[in-house]
Amino acid sequence: MRSFEAILDRIIELLINPLIALLFAVALAFFLWGGVQFLINPAEAATREQGKRHLLWGIVGMAIMVGVFGILRILAGTFGFDIPNN
């Protein structure tokens, strides 16, 4: 059983945590780009609307990634696994 836990720890450490961080960074970049679009073009309604959509979906993406991270922590605690803090 210990080898299964070690393998699962390595998968989480080397694959899952970096993937969550990458997707969070993409969502943050999307959010920031939406903010730039919204603020740079105050006269163009279409660009401002697109910026609003990017802001919204960036927030949604970040919330999903935080939720996934939290759910993984809850599951790991429930089943007694130790998740690395990368």
Side-chain angles (χ1 to χ4, degrees):
M1 187 67 171
R2 180 64 191 144
S3 64
F4 175 72
E5 288 179 18
I7 291 170
L8 189 60
D9 284 345
R10 294 296 287 172
I11 289 172
I12 290 171
E13 181 182 353
L14 297 175
L15 185 67
I16 304 293
N17 284 345
L19 184 61
I20 291 172
L22 175 67
L23 292 174
F24 187 86
V26 169
L28 179 63
F30 205 66
F31 174 79
L32 293 175
W33 177 247
V36 167
Q37 283 182 318
F38 184 77
L39 294 174
I40 291 280
N41 300 309
E44 295 182 37
T47 306
R48 284 179 62 92
E49 200 59 39
Q50 185 179 18
K52 284 181 188 179
R53 282 194 308 272
H54 286 160
L55 286 167
L56 174 68
W57 287 110
I59 290 171
V60 169
M62 288 185 288
I64 289 171
M65 288 302 105
V66 168
V68 165
F69 188 74
I71 290 169
L72 284 176
R73 290 283 177 186
I74 290 170
L75 288 174
T78 301
F79 295 111
F81 293 116
D82 182 33
I83 294 181
N85 290 324
N86 289 4

